[in-house]
Amino acid sequence: MPPMPRSIMWAARITLIAPIVSAIEVAIPLTAPSGAASLMGNLVSLSIEQDRWIDWAGTTEPNTFFNNVLDNFVQITYTPPFVRIGADSEDHTDFSYNIEYEEDIFPPSSTITPYPEATNITVGQGFYDIIYHLPNGTQVHWGVNLREYNLTAAYLETVALMNAFSSPAVVEKNITLKFIEVGNEADLYYSNQGRNSSWSVQEYVSEWEEFAYNVSTTANLSELSYTKLIGAAFAASSHNNLSGFSPQAIFNLGILESPAGQLIETISQHHYSGSFCTGGGSVLQDLMTKSYIRGNISAFSPDVEATLAKGLDYILGETNSMSCHGAPNVSNTAGAALWLLDYSLYATQVGISRLHFHDGIGYKYNLIQPTTLNYSILDGSPITPLAPHVQPAYYTAIIAAEAIGSSGTTQAVEISIDEDNVAGYAFYEHGILSKAIFINLIAYFSDAGARNSTHIDFSFTGSGYTANNMSVKTLEIGYASDTVNLTWGGQTYETSDGRVSGPLTVDVVPICSGVDLQETEAILVTFL
C-alpha cells in the first residue's frame, strides 16, 4: 500500500472516494519534446462586446471588481491582461464630439437573448479615455467600424483611439494599443444585411485595404510602430466558410503586399462550438466531449498552417461555447468550464497562440459578470439584483494560468491518453517537466448515481531528474450543471471583490501512488 497522502491545508475536509471504473498509465516525457507549444500567460484572454464597455471599465472611477479579477491572473503569471474590445457592436459604432461616453439603442430583450447587443452605438472621446482604468500594462486589441462603409466614422474612431492611448494617464500605466481591427466578421456582411448579394472576398480585400490604409495613416502606423493591424477576423474556418473567406483566400489576393496589409502581424478568426441563435436544446455532454472539442479546433489547422507559413501569429480573437451569447444551463455551467480548459489547451497544440473568450453584460457564457444584473441571464425574467461575480469558466482560466506560471519559458504537449473523455497536458519550464493537467470530461449529474473515477499511474520517458512526490490541486465540482460553489484547491473566487478566499488545500502524494480523477473534475499535478 502506498503511503497515505499529506495535505497542505488549514481546514479539515472529508473526501468521499469515487468507485474506480478504469485505470490507465500515462507516459510523460521528462524534457520538452521537439515542437512543444510555447505558452504565454495570457493564453486565455477576453473579448468584450463594446456596446457596454463603460460598464466594464467604469466612467468616473474604475470598476474595481473587474480590475481585481484581471489582476488575479497577473499575480499568477506576471503577464498583463490582453483585452479585445469590439465584436459585433464595433460595426454599429459611430463617433460624436457631442457625447461624453456613449449612447446606445438596444432591441427588445427576449428569452433567447435576455441581454441583446445594441443596434446603434454613438461614442465620444471619454468612451476610449477610460481605458486608463484598467490594470497597469494591459494590452488592447480594439475594433473600428467597416460594415457601415463610412470612412469618416472609421477616421474619427481612430483619432479618438490614438488620443486616448497617447494620453498621460494611459502612458503612465503602460496600457498599450497592440492591434486595431478593421471590421468584425466581414464574411457575414451579406447575411446580416451589411452588403448585397454580390459581396465576395475579392470585394472585402479591396474595401479592407482602403479602410485599413485610412486607419493606419491616421494612426501613423508603420512597420516600426508598436501598434499593428489584425487580419481577417472572420466568423468561420476555411473548412466551414461557404462564402470563400479565409486567410488563404486573402493571402492569395495579395492583401499582405498592400500598404496596410504589410502592417498585419496577427491573423484572427472567430469560433463558437455550437449555436443558440434560434433556441433549441443544447446538450452539455456534447459540448464537453473530447472528440467534439478536437474536431472544433482541428478544423482550423489548415488556416493556422497557412498563417504560420507567412510568419504571422494566429489567434482566436473571439470564441466561446455557443453563439448568440450562450445556451442556458450549458454555457454558464461547471461542465462548460471544463470544456474551456481542454479547448484552450488543445488549441495550443495546433498553433493557436491566444484565445479571447467573448463576454458581454449578462451573456450566459461569460467568465465574468462585471456589473449588477437585474434580469436572469437564462430567460430575461426579473431577479433580485445580482452583484458582480465570476462564473464557472473563470476557475478554469485561473487553472490554465497556474499551469503556465510566471517563468516565461513554459511549453506544453498533450499527453496521449487512451480514454474517450480523459484529457491531459504536460507543462515544461526551461525545457524540464514541471506540471500536468488532467481533465475528466464525463458530465456527472445529480441523477447519475455513483460518481466514477479513473485511476492514473505515471511513467516517464527520456532522461532527466525524476521527482519522488507531487502535489495535487483539485477543481471540486458538485455536478456538471452547477453554476456556483466551485472551489479550486479548497478556495473560492465567488467573492464580493473577486479576490480568492479561503484556506488552500493541496494534497502531496508519492508519484508512485498515482492519482484518481473523478467524472467532471480537473486536477493540476506539480512534480516536486
Side-chain angles (χ1 to χ4, degrees), residues 382-466:
I383 58 173
T384 301
L386 186 59
H389 59 282
V390 301
Q391 297 196 159
Y394 183 82
Y395 282 91
T396 48
I398 288 287
I399 294 172
E402 288 194 16
I404 294 167
S406 60
S407 72
T409 67
T410 301
Q411 297 170 279
V413 294
E414 185 178 17
I415 299 169
S416 178
I417 297 178
D418 189 23
E419 284 282 326
D420 287 346
N421 278 306
V422 175
Y425 300 87
F427 297 82
Y428 300 83
E429 296 182 26
H430 303 286
I432 306 300
L433 177 66
S434 60
K435 304 182 186 82
I437 280 178
F438 296 96
I439 312 161
N440 190 318
L441 292 158
I442 296 174
Y444 178 70
F445 296 106
S446 58
D447 59 356
R451 188 174 191 171
N452 297 320
S453 68
T454 297
H455 181 78
I456 302 172
D457 285 314
F458 302 103
S459 65
F460 300 95
T461 62
S463 60
Y465 172 74
T466 305

Side-chain angles (χ1 to χ4, degrees), residues 10-58:
W10 296 101
R13 67 173 181 172
I14 298 173
T15 302
L16 301 178
I17 306 300
I20 304 294
V21 296
S22 63
I24 57 176
E25 181 176 299
V26 298
I28 305 177
L30 289 169
T31 56
S34 174
S38 295
L39 275 58
M40 296 295 294
N42 54 23
L43 171 69
V44 177
S45 290
L46 291 180
S47 165
I48 294 174
E49 192 70 51
Q50 83 168 15
D51 58 358
R52 294 187 62 178
W53 165 238
I54 62 174
D55 291 323
W56 293 86

Side-chain angles (χ1 to χ4, degrees), residues 345-387:
L345 295 177
Y346 187 73
T348 68
Q349 303 302 291
V350 302
I352 297 171
S353 61
R354 192 170 59 256
L355 302 91
H356 291 262
F357 285 88
H358 197 52
D359 281 28
I361 300 300
Y363 293 4
K364 304 172 194 72
Y365 50 44
N366 278 17
L367 283 69
I368 302 156
Q369 297 289 1
T371 192
T372 298
L373 302 178
N374 296 304
Y375 300 93
S376 166
I377 67 171
L378 303 181
D379 60 12
S381 58
I383 58 173
T384 301
L386 186 59

Side-chain angles (χ1 to χ4, degrees), residues 79-124:
T79 304
F82 205 134
V83 179
R84 180 233 185 186
I85 305 162
D88 181 67
S89 52
E90 83 186 49
D91 273 333
H92 297 272
T93 298
D94 292 300
F95 183 89
S96 171
Y97 288 107
N98 298 320
I99 290 173
E100 183 177 11
Y101 294 111
E102 67 174 304
E103 293 182 0
D104 297 337
I105 298 173
F106 288 92
S109 174
S110 71
T111 55
I112 293 175
T113 51
Y115 290 84
E117 297 156 23
T119 53
N120 182 275
I121 306 106
T122 307
V123 302

